[in-house]
Amino acid sequence: GAVVSQHPSWVICKSGTSVKIECRSLDFQATTMFWYRQFPKQSLMLMATSNEGSKATYEQGVEKDKFLINHASLTLSTLTVTSAHPEDSSFYICSARTVAGGNIQYFGAGTRLSVL
Amino acid sequence: DAKTTQPPSMDCAEGRAANLPCNHSTISGNEYVYWYRQIHSQGPQYIIHGLKNNETNEMASLIITEDRKSSTLILPHATLRDTAVYYCIVSVNNAGNMLTFGGGTRLMVKP
């Protein structure tokens, strides 16, 4: 299957700082990428849909000014958690869709964010 | 997207077939059935998908009932590494559709 790389895999930061997470499709072009968040013992919750060259579409309840998404190229989307607070500590996962082979979403390995 | 219902947990003996059921009684004609799994602390892994015909790949088989209201994912020879949460998702197959994850089935493969 297609490969999606997510970096970093783990980040610890102080409250009030910003953290950037990168999501790259390594062997295919992705016009659409998705960002999810997963709290312990819960399922994945979609945060936003990112389309190359346009503004992201955020799910209800997700603050767009706090979770900045940039999808500047067909292989890279970034999520920046601005002014992070302890309640933002979570597992953030990106996915990218490949049109070839049936519109399958492939997921990155995830980024575990811990805000102190 | 149609809602799916899966048992919260299942056990399977190593080397035996694991049969994971999923009900999707409100599925629409243009919605596919997708299966993903998530091993602890990793991103979900795509397994298989189908519309109405049974499908098989190197990982698993997908059996969809004729009325499409339910399906079964079959892992023919489960190993300990197949221990994971398995998600059944129904969604239209187009470039922009999102996946809505439910609770999934926690499969525990035991020696």
Side-chain angles (χ1 to χ4, degrees):
Chain A
V3 179
V4 175
S5 174
Q6 190 171 340
H7 178 81
S9 57
W10 192 293
V11 59
I12 301 173
C13 70
K14 293 182 178 180
S15 185
T17 61
S18 295
V19 174
K20 179 185 283 189
I21 303 170
E22 291 188 349
C23 180
R24 295 180 184 272
S25 56
L26 295 187
D27 51 0
F28 66 98
Q29 293 185 331
T31 55
T32 304
M33 291 185 173
F34 303 86
W35 288 95
Y36 295 80
R37 181 168 52 183
Q38 185 176 33
F39 292 107
K41 299 188 184 300
Q42 296 185 20
S43 190
L44 283 77
M45 294 297 294
L46 180 67
M47 298 176 66
T49 301
S50 167
N51 293 298
E52 186 265 339
S54 64
K55 292 183 179 180
T57 302
Y58 291 82
E59 294 300 299
Q60 190 173 8
V62 178
E63 300 175 56
K64 62 180 181 181
D65 294 330
K66 180 170 185 61
F67 299 99
L68 301 179
I69 292 172
N70 185 293
H71 192 161
S73 77
L74 288 173
T75 59
L76 174 64
S77 177
T78 61
L79 168 69
T80 301
V81 183
T82 63
S83 187
H85 291 285
E87 58 265 29
D88 297 322
S89 297
S90 187
F91 191 49
Y92 292 86
I93 310 168
C94 72
S95 71
R97 175 179 303 283
T98 172
V99 176
N103 284 315
I104 304 300
Q105 268 191 52
Y106 292 95
F107 287 79
T111 297
R112 188 159 302 282
L113 171 64
S114 297
V115 184
L116 304 178
Chain B
D1 291 344
K3 179 180 172 60
T4 62
T5 304
Q6 299 177 253
S9 64
M10 291 181 63
D11 290 344
C12 176
E14 187 178 21
R16 304 296 294 270
N19 297 281
L20 292 92
C22 179
N23 286 322
H24 31 79
S25 58
T26 60
I27 191 170
S28 300
N30 62 343
E31 288 182 313
Y32 284 66
V33 180
Y34 294 84
W35 282 84
Y36 285 80
R37 72 180 182 184
Q38 185 178 26
I39 296 170
H40 183 62
S41 296
Q42 297 183 24
Q45 178 187 21
Y46 166 77
I47 301 173
I48 199 168
H49 77 288
L51 181 62
K52 54 183 179 180
N53 296 324
N54 297 338
E55 302 287 345
T56 296
N57 62 21
E58 65 278 4
M59 290 184 67
S61 295
L62 173 59
I63 308 298
I64 302 174
T65 58
E66 191 170 343
D67 63 7
R68 305 209 321 124
K69 292 185 177 182
S70 66
S71 61
T72 301
L73 178 75
I74 301 173
L75 307 178
H77 305 287
T79 71
L80 299 179
R81 288 178 292 182
D82 291 322
T83 293
V85 178
Y86 287 76
Y87 296 99
C88 167
I89 302 167
V90 293
S91 180
V92 294
N93 186 352
N94 60 39
N97 69 293
M98 62 191 72
L99 301 177
T100 302
F101 286 79
T105 295
R106 184 171 298 276
L107 175 68
M108 179 73 71
V109 181
K110 297 184 175 181

